Structure formats: C-alpha cells, structure tokens
Amino acid sequence: MISVVVPIYNSADTIAECIESILRQTVEDVELWLVDDGSEDATATIIDGYAAKDRRVSVVHQPNKGRSVARAVGVSRARGEWVSFVDSDDRLPSDALELLMAKATPDVDIVLGNGHLLPDEHRDLIPMADFRPMAVRADGPIGVPWGNLYRRSVLTPWLFDVPRHIVNGEDYLFWLRLAFSTERPVAVVRESVYDKGAEHTSNSFRWTADYCYELNELRRLSIPADCRAAYEADMLCDRLANMFAVATWQHRQEWSASRYYQELLADARRLGRPLTLKQRLFFALPSLRLRGLYAWLSQKMRNA
C-alpha cells in the first residue's frame, strides 16, 4: 500500500481537484490521509464528504499547528510501506504513483520525483555519498517533500521537528535530515510526476538576516557533528542564496552588520570561496530597488 498524506489549511478552492487527482491514480492500493490543520473555511465539510463516500480516504481534524506537524500526524496514521506527500493546492498526474513505485526497489528508501529538474545529473540511482551534498545545496527538486516517495520507516518524528515560526525553509530541513537518515542510494524518476499549483509562501515571505541566522543554525545541527566540516562548502552555497533573498527584502543598514552576513563573509574567505565581483556589486548596491532590479535581470538572463 502507498499512503498519501495531504496537509491542508483553508484550501476549499483547490482541495477537491487535489483529492480527485490522487483517487484517479493508476495504482490501486492507495490510502489517502487528509490532515485538516485548523481550517476556517469550508475545507472540513469538503474533505469529510470525500471520507464518507470513499473508503480509501481518512480525515484528521486538528488545531492549527503548521504544515510540518500536519505531515507528521499523517505519517503517524499511515499504514503503507511507502509514503508520498501532496500539498492541498497541487495535483498528481494519473500515473505519478505508478512511476514512483516502479523505482521503489528493496534497496532504496527514497524515490526522487521530477528528476528531469536535477541540474547536470543523469543517473537513475544516486549513491547517498553523492546525494548528500546535493541535498545540502537543495539542488533542483531536492528541498521540497512533495512529489516523491519515502519508505515509511525512515520518516521519523525528528524530520518534522522544526520550530513553528520556521515557515520558509522547513522543507529544506526535512530533506537535509532525511539524507542523513539512510545509507541507501536514491532512485530517480525522470518523468514529471507532480503538477504544482500557485506558490504562495515563498513568493510573499520576507527574509531577514536574523531569520536566516536561526535557519542556518538548524541547518548545521541537522548534519551529524562528525561530518559537518565536509559539507561546509555546500552549506555556504545555500547560505549565500538565503543572503541574496535577505538583500532583496531588507534595507542594507539592517543586514550589513548582522551576525549572519558577517559570518557568511568570514566563512567564505576561510573556505577559499570569497564572493565574486558580481556578488560583491550586488550587496554593495545602496537601495532595495536597485538590488531587486539586479536580481530580476540576472534571473531573466539565466532563463533566456
């Protein structure tokens, strides 16, 4: 059996399409756990209706505790050997679980979906020693829990144990901890197995240097102490990406003297990876508007 867990909060406009896409899967032995995380709209009525008419659907209603807790609750109720997560405003192509299960062999604990999004990576089986640096850097589709398949035994409560106020980056911490929870290789599905709806959290989230400092501490503690040094350069990549986000949201005087930025610069020099001229220019720009324009132009050039 495959257990699909959907954390839900105020998703009355999208949850029916999400549920229908899961129930239409070409794989038959599926159970669906809908975890209503304190919704205040018509979500509860809609999902209770599905549970009443389809034995594959089970519902949990709980006070609002956050997405990570909702996923953990679903996993704790799941009976399947394999678990997949779907967000409540997304959908699955009809053959998604079939494609994922085809790679769920006895020698793997993780099946990574949407492998075509992995940059410069064409293996169908990635040894964990190679996968971990990719997870630390959050390469391609790594860094989001949805669209993949996990052996339930590796989904321990620690993977979801993130402070409630960490609402952007908690999925990254999930993956980081997961990568150090098994030694087995990761199977990769090349086809598209997930239809992402409109993104809300990451588009509207306001990054700050203080937030990134706390996130980085959680990042560091998510890697076993005896091997953190080996991943410092990879951590630096994502720390720098977070700093770029800070610089497009906060005024320079709010982050230029911050502990996060100063430690980032010091670690970059220590690791022999000082900021490039373009990166230094970006951080030196005096206004939010100029840094935002710079970031927008850089993104357009990358996508051209």
Side-chain angles (χ1 to χ4, degrees), residues 202-231:
S202 62
N203 290 341
S204 59
F205 184 76
R206 298 182 67 88
W207 290 89
T208 68
D210 288 343
Y211 184 91
C212 286
Y213 185 84
E214 183 176 4
L215 181 62
N216 188 55
E217 283 298 291
L218 291 167
R219 180 205 326 268
R220 187 177 61 82
L221 294 173
S222 295
I223 300 175
D226 59 350
C227 61
R228 281 176 200 154
Y231 296 96

Short mmCIF file of all heavy atoms in Angstrom, two decimals, residues 202-231:
data_model
loop_
_atom_site.label_atom_id
_atom_site.label_comp_id
_atom_site.label_asym_id
_atom_site.label_seq_id
_atom_site.Cartn_x
_atom_site.Cartn_y
_atom_site.Cartn_z
N SER A 202 6.59 31.11 -0.46
CA SER A 202 7.92 31.60 -0.82
C SER A 202 7.86 32.93 -1.56
O SER A 202 8.78 33.74 -1.49
CB SER A 202 8.66 30.57 -1.67
OG SER A 202 7.97 30.32 -2.88
N ASN A 203 6.76 33.18 -2.29
CA ASN A 203 6.65 34.43 -3.05
C ASN A 203 6.42 35.64 -2.17
O ASN A 203 6.80 36.76 -2.51
CB ASN A 203 5.53 34.31 -4.08
CG ASN A 203 5.89 33.35 -5.22
OD1 ASN A 203 7.05 33.04 -5.43
ND2 ASN A 203 4.88 32.89 -5.93
N SER A 204 5.76 35.43 -1.04
CA SER A 204 5.40 36.56 -0.18
C SER A 204 6.24 36.65 1.08
O SER A 204 6.14 37.62 1.83
CB SER A 204 3.91 36.46 0.22
OG SER A 204 3.67 35.25 0.91
N PHE A 205 7.09 35.65 1.31
CA PHE A 205 7.86 35.62 2.55
C PHE A 205 8.92 36.71 2.55
O PHE A 205 9.62 36.92 1.57
CB PHE A 205 8.52 34.25 2.72
CG PHE A 205 9.25 34.09 4.02
CD1 PHE A 205 8.55 33.88 5.19
CD2 PHE A 205 10.64 34.20 4.09
CE1 PHE A 205 9.21 33.74 6.40
CE2 PHE A 205 11.31 34.07 5.28
CZ PHE A 205 10.59 33.84 6.45
N ARG A 206 9.06 37.40 3.69
CA ARG A 206 10.06 38.46 3.83
C ARG A 206 11.26 37.93 4.61
O ARG A 206 11.19 37.73 5.82
CB ARG A 206 9.45 39.68 4.53
CG ARG A 206 8.29 40.31 3.77
CD ARG A 206 7.75 41.53 4.48
NE ARG A 206 8.75 42.62 4.48
CZ ARG A 206 8.84 43.51 3.50
NH1 ARG A 206 8.03 43.46 2.46
NH2 ARG A 206 9.75 44.46 3.56
N TRP A 207 12.34 37.70 3.90
CA TRP A 207 13.55 37.17 4.52
C TRP A 207 14.23 38.27 5.34
O TRP A 207 14.28 39.42 4.94
CB TRP A 207 14.53 36.67 3.46
CG TRP A 207 14.07 35.44 2.76
CD1 TRP A 207 13.30 35.37 1.63
CD2 TRP A 207 14.36 34.10 3.13
NE1 TRP A 207 13.09 34.06 1.29
CE2 TRP A 207 13.73 33.25 2.18
CE3 TRP A 207 15.09 33.52 4.17
CZ2 TRP A 207 13.82 31.87 2.24
CZ3 TRP A 207 15.18 32.14 4.23
CH2 TRP A 207 14.54 31.32 3.28
N THR A 208 14.78 37.88 6.49
CA THR A 208 15.58 38.79 7.30
C THR A 208 16.87 38.08 7.69
O THR A 208 16.95 36.85 7.69
CB THR A 208 14.85 39.21 8.59
OG1 THR A 208 14.73 38.07 9.46
CG2 THR A 208 13.47 39.78 8.29
N ALA A 209 17.88 38.87 8.04
CA ALA A 209 19.17 38.29 8.44
C ALA A 209 19.02 37.46 9.71
O ALA A 209 19.64 36.40 9.85
CB ALA A 209 20.19 39.40 8.63
N ASP A 210 18.19 37.92 10.65
CA ASP A 210 18.00 37.17 11.90
C ASP A 210 17.34 35.82 11.63
O ASP A 210 17.70 34.80 12.23
CB ASP A 210 17.16 37.98 12.89
CG ASP A 210 17.92 39.16 13.47
OD1 ASP A 210 19.17 39.17 13.36
OD2 ASP A 210 17.27 40.07 14.01
N TYR A 211 16.35 35.83 10.73
CA TYR A 211 15.67 34.57 10.38
C TYR A 211 16.67 33.59 9.76
O TYR A 211 16.70 32.41 10.09
CB TYR A 211 14.53 34.85 9.42
CG TYR A 211 13.69 33.64 9.07
CD1 TYR A 211 12.57 33.31 9.81
CD2 TYR A 211 14.02 32.82 7.98
CE1 TYR A 211 11.78 32.21 9.50
CE2 TYR A 211 13.25 31.71 7.67
CZ TYR A 211 12.13 31.41 8.43
OH TYR A 211 11.37 30.31 8.12
N CYS A 212 17.50 34.09 8.85
CA CYS A 212 18.48 33.23 8.18
C CYS A 212 19.52 32.69 9.15
O CYS A 212 20.01 31.57 8.98
CB CYS A 212 19.16 33.99 7.05
SG CYS A 212 18.12 34.22 5.61
N TYR A 213 19.86 33.50 10.15
CA TYR A 213 20.82 33.02 11.15
C TYR A 213 20.24 31.82 11.89
O TYR A 213 20.93 30.81 12.08
CB TYR A 213 21.16 34.13 12.14
CG TYR A 213 22.24 33.73 13.12
CD1 TYR A 213 23.58 33.83 12.79
CD2 TYR A 213 21.91 33.21 14.37
CE1 TYR A 213 24.57 33.43 13.67
CE2 TYR A 213 22.88 32.81 15.25
CZ TYR A 213 24.21 32.92 14.90
OH TYR A 213 25.19 32.50 15.78
N GLU A 214 18.98 31.91 12.31
CA GLU A 214 18.36 30.78 13.00
C GLU A 214 18.22 29.58 12.08
O GLU A 214 18.47 28.44 12.49
CB GLU A 214 16.99 31.19 13.55
CG GLU A 214 16.32 30.07 14.34
CD GLU A 214 15.00 30.48 14.96
OE1 GLU A 214 14.55 31.62 14.72
OE2 GLU A 214 14.42 29.65 15.69
N LEU A 215 17.82 29.82 10.83
CA LEU A 215 17.69 28.73 9.87
C LEU A 215 19.03 28.03 9.66
O LEU A 215 19.10 26.80 9.57
CB LEU A 215 17.15 29.25 8.54
CG LEU A 215 16.94 28.23 7.42
CD1 LEU A 215 15.90 27.19 7.83
CD2 LEU A 215 16.52 28.92 6.13
N ASN A 216 20.10 28.81 9.60
CA ASN A 216 21.41 28.21 9.40
C ASN A 216 21.85 27.38 10.60
O ASN A 216 22.52 26.35 10.45
CB ASN A 216 22.46 29.29 9.10
CG ASN A 216 23.79 28.70 8.70
OD1 ASN A 216 23.86 27.90 7.76
ND2 ASN A 216 24.85 29.06 9.40
N GLU A 217 21.50 27.82 11.80
CA GLU A 217 21.81 27.02 12.99
C GLU A 217 21.07 25.68 12.92
O GLU A 217 21.63 24.63 13.25
CB GLU A 217 21.43 27.78 14.26
CG GLU A 217 22.41 28.87 14.63
CD GLU A 217 23.79 28.30 14.92
OE1 GLU A 217 23.96 27.60 15.94
OE2 GLU A 217 24.72 28.54 14.11
N LEU A 218 19.81 25.70 12.51
CA LEU A 218 19.06 24.45 12.35
C LEU A 218 19.65 23.59 11.26
O LEU A 218 19.70 22.36 11.36
CB LEU A 218 17.59 24.77 12.04
CG LEU A 218 16.79 25.40 13.18
CD1 LEU A 218 15.47 25.96 12.66
CD2 LEU A 218 16.55 24.39 14.28
N ARG A 219 20.13 24.21 10.18
CA ARG A 219 20.80 23.51 9.10
C ARG A 219 22.05 22.78 9.63
O ARG A 219 22.27 21.61 9.37
CB ARG A 219 21.19 24.50 8.01
CG ARG A 219 21.89 23.91 6.81
CD ARG A 219 22.78 24.91 6.06
NE ARG A 219 22.30 26.28 6.06
CZ ARG A 219 21.54 26.81 5.12
NH1 ARG A 219 21.15 26.10 4.10
NH2 ARG A 219 21.18 28.07 5.20
N ARG A 220 22.85 23.52 10.36
CA ARG A 220 24.10 22.97 10.88
C ARG A 220 23.83 21.79 11.82
O ARG A 220 24.49 20.75 11.73
CB ARG A 220 24.86 24.07 11.62
CG ARG A 220 26.26 23.70 12.06
CD ARG A 220 26.94 24.87 12.72
NE ARG A 220 26.25 25.32 13.90
CZ ARG A 220 26.39 24.75 15.11
NH1 ARG A 220 27.21 23.72 15.26
NH2 ARG A 220 25.73 25.21 16.14
N LEU A 221 22.84 21.93 12.70
CA LEU A 221 22.52 20.88 13.65
C LEU A 221 21.84 19.68 13.01
O LEU A 221 21.75 18.62 13.62
CB LEU A 221 21.65 21.45 14.77
CG LEU A 221 22.32 22.49 15.67
CD1 LEU A 221 21.31 23.11 16.63
CD2 LEU A 221 23.49 21.88 16.43
N SER A 222 21.34 19.85 11.79
CA SER A 222 20.69 18.74 11.08
C SER A 222 21.71 17.79 10.47
O SER A 222 21.36 16.68 10.07
CB SER A 222 19.77 19.29 9.98
OG SER A 222 18.70 20.02 10.53
N ILE A 223 22.97 18.21 10.39
CA ILE A 223 24.04 17.37 9.87
C ILE A 223 24.82 16.80 11.05
O ILE A 223 25.18 17.55 11.96
CB ILE A 223 24.98 18.20 8.97
CG1 ILE A 223 24.19 18.78 7.78
CG2 ILE A 223 26.15 17.36 8.47
CD1 ILE A 223 25.00 19.69 6.90
N PRO A 224 25.06 15.49 11.07
CA PRO A 224 25.81 14.90 12.19
C PRO A 224 27.12 15.64 12.44
O PRO A 224 27.83 16.02 11.52
CB PRO A 224 26.05 13.46 11.72
CG PRO A 224 24.92 13.18 10.78
CD PRO A 224 24.65 14.48 10.08
N ALA A 225 27.43 15.84 13.73
CA ALA A 225 28.59 16.66 14.11
C ALA A 225 29.90 16.14 13.53
O ALA A 225 30.79 16.92 13.18
CB ALA A 225 28.68 16.73 15.64
N ASP A 226 30.03 14.81 13.42
CA ASP A 226 31.31 14.25 12.98
C ASP A 226 31.58 14.43 11.49
O ASP A 226 32.67 14.11 11.03
CB ASP A 226 31.40 12.77 13.35
CG ASP A 226 30.29 11.93 12.72
OD1 ASP A 226 29.35 12.52 12.15
OD2 ASP A 226 30.37 10.69 12.79
N CYS A 227 30.58 14.94 10.73
CA CYS A 227 30.84 15.13 9.30
C CYS A 227 30.44 16.53 8.80
O CYS A 227 30.40 16.77 7.61
CB CYS A 227 30.15 14.04 8.48
SG CYS A 227 28.36 14.00 8.63
N ARG A 228 30.15 17.46 9.72
CA ARG A 228 29.74 18.81 9.30
C ARG A 228 30.81 19.51 8.48
O ARG A 228 30.51 20.21 7.51
CB ARG A 228 29.40 19.66 10.52
CG ARG A 228 28.03 19.38 11.10
CD ARG A 228 27.77 20.17 12.35
NE ARG A 228 26.70 19.55 13.11
CZ ARG A 228 26.56 19.66 14.42
NH1 ARG A 228 27.42 20.38 15.12
NH2 ARG A 228 25.56 19.05 15.04
N ALA A 229 32.07 19.32 8.88
CA ALA A 229 33.16 20.02 8.19
C ALA A 229 33.19 19.68 6.71
O ALA A 229 33.54 20.52 5.88
CB ALA A 229 34.49 19.69 8.85
N ALA A 230 32.82 18.44 6.37
CA ALA A 230 32.87 18.01 4.97
C ALA A 230 31.82 18.70 4.11
O ALA A 230 31.94 18.70 2.87
CB ALA A 230 32.68 16.49 4.90
N TYR A 231 30.81 19.30 4.73
CA TYR A 231 29.71 19.92 3.98
C TYR A 231 29.68 21.43 4.13
O TYR A 231 28.71 22.06 3.72
CB TYR A 231 28.38 19.31 4.43
CG TYR A 231 28.27 17.84 4.12
CD1 TYR A 231 28.58 16.89 5.09
CD2 TYR A 231 27.90 17.40 2.85
CE1 TYR A 231 28.51 15.53 4.81
CE2 TYR A 231 27.82 16.04 2.57
CZ TYR A 231 28.13 15.11 3.55
OH TYR A 231 28.07 13.77 3.26
#
